[in-house]
Amino acid sequence: MGIIKNIRLGFVHIAVTLTFVLINGVLNRIMIHDLGIAATLVAILVVLPYVFSPVQVWIGQYSDTHPIFGYRRTPYIALGIALVLGGTLLTPHAAFSMATGNGQIAPAGLLLGFLAFGMWGAGFNLAVVSYLSLASDLSDEHNRSRTIAIMWFMMIVSIIITAILTARALEPYSPERLMDVFMKVTLGSLGLAILGLFGLEPRYTALRAEQTRESQGAALRAVLSNPQARIFFVYLILLLAAILGQDVLLEPYGATAFGMSVKQTTQLTSYWGGATLVALLLHGLVLSRWLDKKTGAMIGAVIATAGLLLIAASGIVGIRALFIPGVVVLGFGTGFSTATNLALMLDMTTSEQVGLFIGAWGVADAMARGLGTLLGGVLRDIITALTNNPTSGYTTVFLVEAALLAVSLVLLQRINVRAFREHQPTLTELIAIVGDA
């Protein structure tokens, strides 16, 4: 795949991921710290979409065999982005509608919250599995690391820029300024999606007969029957739950533990993003030439663990000087993990069922985000209630996430791409597959 197509695919990726800056980098802090909405409720709203993440397997396999107007991915990506952006625009309205000012939640606002976050997450599930499948379609195995590096390089740069501009636009903070920022970022994301998507995918004239005859259940059995696929699925859940589970808590933690303003907590995203970008560049331009993907994934997890421990330590000892370095170290580890694990994920597919396997890994990603965020929100509220100390609730979450990363490293040692591809179903599995088909 040429550099231009890589860049255009990166635009599509940016269009979806910028919404996370708004929701997980700004709105979460407003809802928890400023509006006084319980972290558990915020976590439930953020993870609600991921409850439906198993649909990614169906979407991926369905798009493999059901092109629309000759396109296997483009229509699904377009619909997903429309839902993502529509839901994003509604989320701040839902947040302000929920908060009554007396600690109660307005029922109408809660209903709007479920609708807004549901649209956002449903679109995310639909778009991500489709554009990652498209990335795998357009690139061969040897170029996938470069494709991933370019996509994530563009994403991190855009996140840094968006975080900086958003922080400035929200100073001084007001609900009107927040609404204006959401509108402008959403319109920018829409423009990037249009620029990147249309004309990117070649039109397919026909699909192989064996693909069109395969049933959904038989395809799912092909994933579940592979021991390496099962190990990789659990590994992704543990890894991503630990790394991504802190998204909804990092900004309110900075506000609670260190009295940081909206502008200052929003800038945390730029610190994290800058470190992630450096790691991506270091890995993509230098280390990927001699560092294999599993070793890189291990290094990333170890560094991210150190970052989480620093962040927790900053609250335990009450030293703000440890907090920002902890965020930077976490971002650096996240960059290594992103580059290596996404390339590893694309290797853990078969050429006949790219969408199916990408969908399965997408389910792992969505489940991880959901479980990590929900675990963080609930654990934070429980520990806070028991200790009457909000900071201890946050630090406990970060320590638990560091432990999850340690467990994921054990599973990483058991993953073997060659064994994944060489696996042949047993007689029992073949009978089950044929019977289902």
Side-chain angles (χ1 to χ4, degrees):
M1 179 166 56
I3 186 67
I4 299 300
K5 285 190 175 181
N6 277 322
I7 292 174
R8 294 186 62 195
L9 195 58
F11 285 156
V12 177
H13 186 47
I14 291 170
V16 174
T17 55
L18 282 188
T19 63
F20 281 87
V21 178
L22 299 179
I23 293 176
N24 289 341
V26 180
L27 191 62
N28 62 322
R29 178 247 156 86
I30 300 297
M31 294 175 73
I32 295 173
H33 188 265
D34 296 79
L35 298 179
I37 299 174
T40 298
L41 177 56
V42 175
I44 289 173
L45 288 171
V46 172
V47 307
L48 177 66
Y50 304 135
V51 173
F52 304 103
S53 63
V55 78
Q56 285 199 25
V57 176
W58 179 82
I59 293 170
Q61 200 272 342
Y62 188 86
S63 67
D64 281 342
T65 58
H66 292 79
I68 299 176
F69 302 116
Y71 297 99
R72 293 200 299 175
R73 316 297 182 193
T74 301
Y76 301 97
I77 298 171
L79 177 58
I81 290 175
L83 289 171
V84 164
L85 299 184
T88 300
L89 280 178
L90 288 175
T91 53
H93 295 280
F96 291 118
S97 297
M98 278 189 283
T100 60
N102 58 5
Q104 302 297 316
I105 299 297
L110 184 60
L111 182 61
L112 181 59
F114 277 105
L115 173 64
F117 283 90
M119 286 178 60
W120 171 61
F124 171 81
N125 285 327
L126 180 56
V128 169
V129 65
S130 301
Y131 71 64
L132 286 179
S133 296
L134 181 58
S136 186
D137 289 340
L138 296 178
S139 61
D140 56 41
E141 180 178 345
H142 300 293
N143 292 321
R144 283 173 183 166
S145 292
R146 185 182 71 168
T147 299
I148 292 298
I150 291 174
M151 287 175 64
W152 258 256
F153 174 85
M154 293 176 63
M155 180 197 75
I156 297 300
V157 170
S158 64
I159 284 176
I160 294 171
I161 294 173
T162 302
I164 292 172
L165 294 178
T166 298
R168 291 179 179 177
L170 290 173
E171 186 67 24
Y173 165 75
S174 69
E176 293 75 22
R177 285 177 178 267
L178 183 69
M179 297 289 191
D180 184 59
V181 165
F182 267 70
M183 176 62 73
K184 288 179 178 177
V185 174
T186 301
L187 290 176
S189 295
L190 178 60
L192 287 172
I194 294 172
L195 183 62
L197 183 58
F198 292 100
L200 178 62
E201 180 185 15
R203 190 170 185 177
Y204 295 85
T205 55
L207 294 173
R208 288 197 291 268
E210 62 266 26
Q211 280 186 291
T212 58
R213 287 198 302 265
E214 186 176 34
S215 75
Q216 304 289 338
L220 286 174
R221 290 181 189 273
V223 175
L224 298 176
S225 67
N226 192 314
Q228 286 294 317
R230 293 197 299 268
I231 295 172
F232 189 66
F233 186 87
V234 177
Y235 160 74
L236 280 181
I237 290 178
L238 292 177
L239 173 79
L240 297 175
I243 291 180
L244 303 176
Q246 48 75 32
D247 276 356
V248 76
L249 296 179
L250 200 59
E251 289 79 9
Y253 172 63
T256 300
F258 306 111
M260 300 173 72
S261 67
V262 174
K263 178 181 179 180
Q264 290 173 324
T265 55
T266 301
Q267 286 176 332
L268 292 175
T269 302
S270 63
Y271 300 144
W272 171 89
T276 303
L277 180 59
V278 170
L280 283 172
L281 289 173
L282 181 62
H283 178 269
L285 299 179
V286 181
L287 298 180
S288 63
R289 299 177 182 179
W290 57 270
L291 193 66
D292 66 86
K293 295 165 188 173
K294 280 184 63 174
T295 303
M298 182 181 299
I299 292 173
V302 170
I303 296 173
T305 301
L308 287 169
L309 292 175
L310 270 177
I311 292 170
S314 69
I316 293 172
V317 300
I319 300 177
R320 180 173 173 176
L322 293 177
F323 180 49
I324 301 300
V327 173
V328 171
V329 173
L330 176 61
F332 195 83
T334 300
F336 256 87
S337 291
T338 297
T340 53
N341 283 292
L342 280 169
L344 188 62
M345 181 189 74
L346 292 180
D347 285 347
M348 297 285 283
T349 66
T350 65
S351 58
E352 295 82 9
Q353 295 174 319
V354 170
L356 169 69
F357 280 95
I358 294 296
W361 311 146
V363 170
D365 174 77
M367 288 180 65
R369 290 176 183 273
L371 291 173
T373 303
L374 186 59
L375 172 66
V378 172
L379 191 58
R380 178 264 186 193
D381 284 349
I382 290 175
I383 300 299
T384 298
L386 292 176
T387 63
N388 199 29
N389 183 356
T391 300
S392 67
Y394 290 110
T395 56
T396 301
V397 172
F398 299 135
L399 291 174
V400 170
E401 290 170 347
L404 288 177
L405 274 177
V407 175
S408 76
L409 284 172
V410 177
L411 288 178
L412 178 60
Q413 301 306 307
R414 299 175 56 190
I415 296 171
N416 187 311
V417 174
R418 179 175 294 180
F420 164 81
R421 293 183 174 177
E422 291 178 351
H423 169 73
Q424 297 296 325
T426 65
L427 178 61
T428 301
E429 292 166 349
L430 284 172
I431 291 173
I433 292 172
V434 172
D436 193 11

